[in-house]
Amino acid sequence: MEQWLEWARGPAFKFAFVLMVLGLIRHLVLTVAGIVQALYRAGDKKIPYKMVFHSTLLWLFPFKKLNNRPWYSIASVVFHVGLILTPIFLLPHIELWKRGLGISWPSIPHLLADILTLITIAAAIGLLAGRLGNRESRRISRAQDILLPVIIAIPFVTGFLAMHSVWDPTAYNAVMFIHVMGANVIFALIPFTKLGHIVLLPTTQLVSEVGWHFPAESGRDVTIALKKENVPI
Amino acid sequence: MRKYPYYVEPYEETERPRKFLEAFAAILKHSNYGFVLDTYTRTSTKCARCAGICQVFDQSGDPRDVPCYRSELLFRVYRRYFTLGGMVRSRLHNGFMLTDDYIDEMAEAVYRCTACRRCKFACPMGVDHGLMTHLARWILAEIGVVPKALVVATREQLQGKTGNTSAIPVVALKDTCEFLEEELIENYNLPAKFPMDVEGAEHVFFPAVSDYLLEPDTLMGNAAVMHLTGGSWTIGTGYYDGINYGLFYSDALLCRIVSKEAAELKRLKAKKILIGECGHASRSAKAFIPTFCGGKNAPPVINIMEYSHKALLDGRLKVKAGAISERVTYHDPCNIARSKWIINQPREILEAICKDFVDMVPSGQMNICCGGGGGTVSIDEIRAFRTGIGGRKKAEQLKATGAKYIVAPCANCKKQLREVCEDNGLHDMEVVGLHDLVLKALDLEAYGITPVDKTGKEGEE
């Protein structure tokens, strides 16, 4: 088991993490290139950047936007806070980084980490319940929408168990193996699922705004491409 | 599921999916939608928060009306046929395939939407479902799936003899304007003119052309304000229609129609485009004349309400405070309010002339659509849907205000709201334009005009 755990923490983690970073860089580069190309082609290049920036901030910190489906929205915000803070500022994780790359940063107390972990798990369950309990969102959900909260909850549950229960070493290693592999699977899935919003969310408001700025010749070009120049309306 | 009949122009039934994909491919190649679809398909999270804000879904409860579901109809086609992942996946297992039925479903979904764009404010991922509906409608239009009412109007506007959507010939236009001038003299002692083809005027006026048939009071109000404030304006007999259904179903036509406005402006050597009381006419000119007619060098576009508001502020427009004693409410047309362009200007005018002005909740940028947006108001076949489902929420809002006058500065909204009032039992309400009320509230004495004694006149009749 120990070798398996070492493999999960070593090569598997490196592979998943690098895959995530490269995938996210690709997402970001493609989106920024798309925006630049669209602006270059647009007939009207004037963008209300201030308004776009404002609405981007509003959605990055969506505390004013909780009014619609409030319980679901609050669960989502809590989920994100736990999801971002806990893994990054947990002491054992920072020690791993220190051992591997020699970098470190301040950690949060264990008790806080425990509380965050529990509320993240609760929020994941809440999100799932909100999705499946609501007729519209159940109807439009895809497989990934239902599976992702479950997969994301796995490292949190196993991490909590590993920190708190008295296990014999084999069982502890097994739990840790699930914990690490769960995280690896999440990293690897990020570029291929909606989790890509990790880097794309700050761009979407601008994308939507630029999307309305059409190329001056778009209509004519499409008409010509479809050979409809002389076709009456 | 119940389908509403859209009377569509005849099209070849065969090979529609192939043609749809060809049109989609051409549009992706020559326009800017590709990267938008890429970003949206990568981030769309299917949380259904947009369902809670959509007035159509609110009343119908039909999953087809969830904005995200509607956009997904397009995303699915995009993923399958235009992304690498989709193509690989289709080789691995029998996945999604574009069929005739699917196209029908999409057509139904995008024309149930009123394109009011309110759902944009509910999407945590910033997906603009209005933009996706706009795109889907264009692709469908290229394979001939468009409500007939819209095509017939646009055909007359671009290919017909009269060159406008209501098929009003120049002779009839001049007749109408002369008649309105006489009315202004008779009823208000106001020698206001509708100047025709004045070269070098500052503004060229493009109302929704249907106003010449249906809204004499609005037009008289426009002329009176222009006359009393010394505004330099003209109506071009070469082209005098602000309506632009291209905004609702095709960028290609949107471009051709706004270009006609810019060309008329150039012919008359005028400086600004002045749009009458009409939401989509205003937005299509304001947002897309810069796009299609020269970017930075495009002529400025203003709405008549902006003009009157400015005249009121700098004192050129003199009105009697509290001249309208009945309760008045204001309906924001989505196309001018959603972008925060015109929200406060008409309210300030109304507050100056009304004793009892009440706002609806919500209003302004977050207003509720009349239920006939996105061109659907022209489709008479779906009136029951428009007033029963699309406009029900608006009817409740209107009822709550208890107003006598509903000011709706938009030709589409006016028609729709009248039908909404009729079908929802709000018979005491009257839908009017902003300038209808301004005309009644003009302080004519301040301009040295003796008003006509109306009480005596009514007695004669």
Side-chain angles (χ1 to χ4, degrees):
Chain A
M1 203 67 235
E2 216 175 319
Q3 281 98 349
W4 278 111
L5 184 57
E6 274 312 306
W7 174 79
R9 274 205 273 233
F13 169 75
K14 279 179 195 154
F15 174 78
F17 199 79
V18 169
L19 189 66
M20 172 189 81
V21 171
L22 291 179
L24 290 181
I25 290 174
R26 174 174 175 272
H27 271 358
L28 200 59
V29 168
L30 285 178
T31 305
V32 171
I35 294 171
V36 171
Q37 191 201 21
L39 276 176
Y40 177 74
R41 288 161 63 163
D44 173 23
K45 299 183 191 346
K46 212 172 138 204
I47 307 281
Y49 287 107
K50 224 171 141 183
M51 231 167 82
V52 172
F53 182 69
H54 184 245
S55 56
T56 304
L57 275 187
L58 208 62
W59 280 113
L60 285 179
F61 306 96
F63 303 111
K64 281 185 185 168
K65 292 282 191 182
L66 300 175
N67 50 353
N68 179 0
R69 292 197 75 188
W71 288 111
Y72 185 80
S73 307
I74 291 168
S76 170
V77 170
V78 170
F79 180 68
H80 280 85
V81 169
L83 199 53
I84 295 167
L85 291 184
T86 322
I88 295 179
F89 294 103
L90 188 77
L91 189 61
H93 286 182
I94 298 174
E95 276 167 1
L96 284 175
W97 284 104
K98 207 170 175 179
R99 198 179 72 184
L101 293 176
I103 50 171
S104 73
W105 52 86
S107 65
I108 50 172
H110 264 297
L111 183 65
L112 181 60
D114 279 349
I115 295 168
L116 277 174
T117 306
L118 289 178
I119 61 172
T120 310
I121 295 167
I125 295 168
L127 281 180
L128 209 57
R131 181 175 289 282
L132 296 176
N134 177 295
R135 199 166 68 97
E136 301 86 80
S137 62
R138 187 172 63 236
R139 165 88 201 253
I140 61 175
S141 291
R142 301 156 295 179
Q144 61 159 299
D145 298 315
I146 295 161
L147 291 178
L148 281 174
V150 177
I151 298 175
I152 290 172
I154 290 174
F156 281 83
V157 173
T158 50
F160 190 80
L161 288 180
M163 298 281 280
H164 287 272
S165 302
V166 186
W167 304 86
D168 66 74
T170 322
Y172 174 83
N173 282 344
V175 171
M176 276 314 279
F177 177 74
I178 298 170
H179 175 75
V180 178
M181 277 316 282
N184 289 348
V185 168
I186 297 168
F187 288 141
L189 282 177
I190 283 173
F192 304 104
T193 57
K194 64 175 183 179
L195 296 180
H197 74 264
I198 290 173
V199 291
L200 293 180
L201 187 63
T203 68
T204 51
Q205 299 291 333
L206 183 60
V207 166
S208 293
E209 180 60 41
V210 174
W212 281 105
H213 290 246
F214 311 139
E217 299 296 323
S218 60
R220 226 158 293 156
D221 289 346
V222 169
T223 312
I224 293 167
L226 296 173
K227 301 193 179 65
K228 284 189 177 174
E229 303 104 296
N230 301 314
V231 179
I233 297 162
Chain B
M1 264 188 275
R2 186 174 171 198
K3 290 208 186 267
Y4 288 89
Y6 294 108
Y7 288 76
V8 168
E9 290 281 288
Y11 54 81
E12 258 180 278
E13 286 270 359
T14 53
E15 297 204 309
R16 271 204 310 171
R18 185 179 61 79
K19 284 187 183 158
F20 183 94
L21 292 174
E22 275 174 13
F24 200 169
I27 289 170
L28 285 176
K29 186 172 173 203
H30 296 288
S31 73
N32 279 344
Y33 294 110
F35 86 103
V36 180
L37 280 164
D38 276 335
T39 314
Y40 287 176
T41 50
R42 279 171 194 151
T43 55
S44 167
T45 180
K46 307 280 170 269
C47 64
R49 284 183 92 239
C50 48
I53 208 169
C54 176
Q55 66 189 66
V56 179
F57 176 77
D58 188 74
Q59 295 300 321
S60 75
D62 189 334
R64 279 183 295 177
D65 293 327
V66 177
C68 207
Y69 174 82
R70 189 173 56 241
S71 297
E72 182 67 20
L73 292 176
L74 192 64
F75 294 165
R76 216 172 287 154
V77 181
Y78 181 74
R79 280 202 202 97
R80 162 63 185 82
Y81 294 98
F82 299 98
T83 64
L84 185 67
M87 287 174 217
V88 172
R89 224 168 292 151
S90 72
R91 298 250 181 314
L92 296 177
H93 58 86
N94 285 339
F96 165 73
M97 230 181 95
L98 183 63
T99 60
D100 241 8
D101 287 343
Y102 190 86
I103 291 175
D104 280 339
E105 190 194 350
M106 190 190 286
E108 176 81 4
V110 296
Y111 281 102
R112 284 171 74 95
C113 166
T114 68
C116 78
R117 300 190 297 146
R118 195 158 171 258
C119 45
K120 184 173 184 284
F121 299 112
C123 183
M125 293 297 164
V127 173
D128 191 336
H129 300 293
L131 181 63
M132 292 299 99
T133 302
H134 182 87
L135 169 61
R137 286 179 174 199
W138 187 14
I139 304 168
L140 288 167
E142 293 296 349
I143 62 167
V145 183
V146 197
K148 189 163 185 165
L150 300 180
V151 189
V152 169
T154 309
R155 185 178 293 146
E156 182 61 28
Q157 188 175 24
L158 289 172
Q159 292 169 356
K161 268 186 197 154
T162 57
N164 62 73
T165 49
S166 293
I168 303 172
V170 176
V171 194
L173 172 79
K174 285 184 174 164
D175 255 11
T176 306
C177 290
E178 271 166 33
F179 170 74
L180 294 178
E181 285 166 3
E182 283 163 21
E183 285 281 297
L184 278 165
I185 293 270
E186 233 171 77
N187 293 332
Y188 300 94
N189 216 358
L190 244 177
K193 293 276 167 221
F194 286 87
M196 297 275 172
D197 284 336
V198 181
E199 272 196 25
E202 193 183 347
H203 303 97
V204 180
F205 184 53
F206 297 100
V209 81
S210 53
D211 282 6
Y212 290 112
L213 301 173
L214 303 169
E215 306 294 341
D217 289 323
T218 307
L219 287 173
M220 288 197 293
N222 295 158
V225 167
M226 292 311 279
H227 173 74
L228 293 174
T229 58
S232 152
W233 70 308
T234 183
I235 296 167
T237 55
Y239 185 69
Y240 42 91
D241 188 0
I243 289 178
N244 192 336
Y245 288 154
L247 181 66
F248 301 144
Y249 75 89
S250 162
D251 289 357
L253 299 174
L254 174 64
C255 167
R256 284 173 65 182
I257 298 166
V258 291
S259 302
K260 283 184 86 170
E261 288 175 349
E264 184 67 358
L265 191 81
K266 207 169 170 191
R267 181 179 78 84
L268 293 168
K269 301 186 181 66
K271 289 188 200 76
K272 291 179 190 163
I273 289 174
L274 178 66
I275 306 286
E277 289 189 15
C278 184
H280 88 277
S282 304
R283 172 162 166 240
S284 54
K286 176 90 174 176
F288 299 110
I289 280 189
T291 296
F292 295 118
C293 308
K296 270 186 214 158
N297 308 318
V301 175
I302 64 164
N303 183 286
I304 184 95
M305 292 190 281
E306 286 181 287
Y307 178 89
S308 301
H309 176 246
K310 193 161 170 269
L312 182 75
L313 288 190
D314 60 25
R316 280 180 296 140
L317 180 62
K318 298 184 182 75
V319 290
K320 281 184 258 177
I324 312 290
S325 51
E326 295 92 341
R327 180 172 285 184
V328 176
T329 188
Y330 178 76
H331 164 75
D332 288 280
C334 306
N335 279 314
I336 56 177
R338 202 71 73 211
S339 59
K340 280 185 167 175
W341 175 26
I342 299 175
I343 292 175
N344 291 325
Q345 296 92 324
R347 285 188 169 78
E348 281 172 30
I349 297 175
L350 286 171
E351 269 158 13
I353 62 174
C354 298
K355 268 201 189 114
D356 187 7
F357 173 75
V358 288
D359 236 331
M360 287 182 259
V361 183
S363 62
Q365 195 181 19
M366 292 299 289
N367 81 315
I368 285 174
C369 172
C370 62
T376 56
V377 71
S378 306
I379 312 169
D380 286 326
E381 297 90 334
I382 60 166
R383 172 164 170 168
F385 171 74
R386 271 194 283 118
T387 59
I389 292 173
R392 174 77 60 77
K393 211 158 181 199
K394 194 80 215 179
E396 285 165 11
Q397 238 190 342
L398 293 174
K399 202 171 176 186
T401 63
K404 164 82 175 98
Y405 290 119
I406 306 158
V407 176
C410 170
N412 280 0
C413 301
K414 274 179 198 152
K415 175 170 186 269
Q416 162 74 3
L417 288 178
R418 278 178 195 137
E419 293 176 357
V420 164
C421 288
E422 214 173 281
D423 295 357
N424 289 284
L426 305 171
H427 300 295
D428 303 333
M429 294 187 167
E430 197 181 325
V431 181
V432 293
L434 177 69
H435 284 81
D436 305 31
L437 296 188
V438 172
L439 180 64
K440 287 187 185 176
L442 286 172
D443 188 2
L444 293 172
E445 282 103 335
Y447 293 100
I449 298 168
T450 338
V452 178
D453 185 4
K454 279 194 185 163
T455 46
K457 196 175 171 295
E458 267 167 29
E460 278 167 34
E461 280 170 354

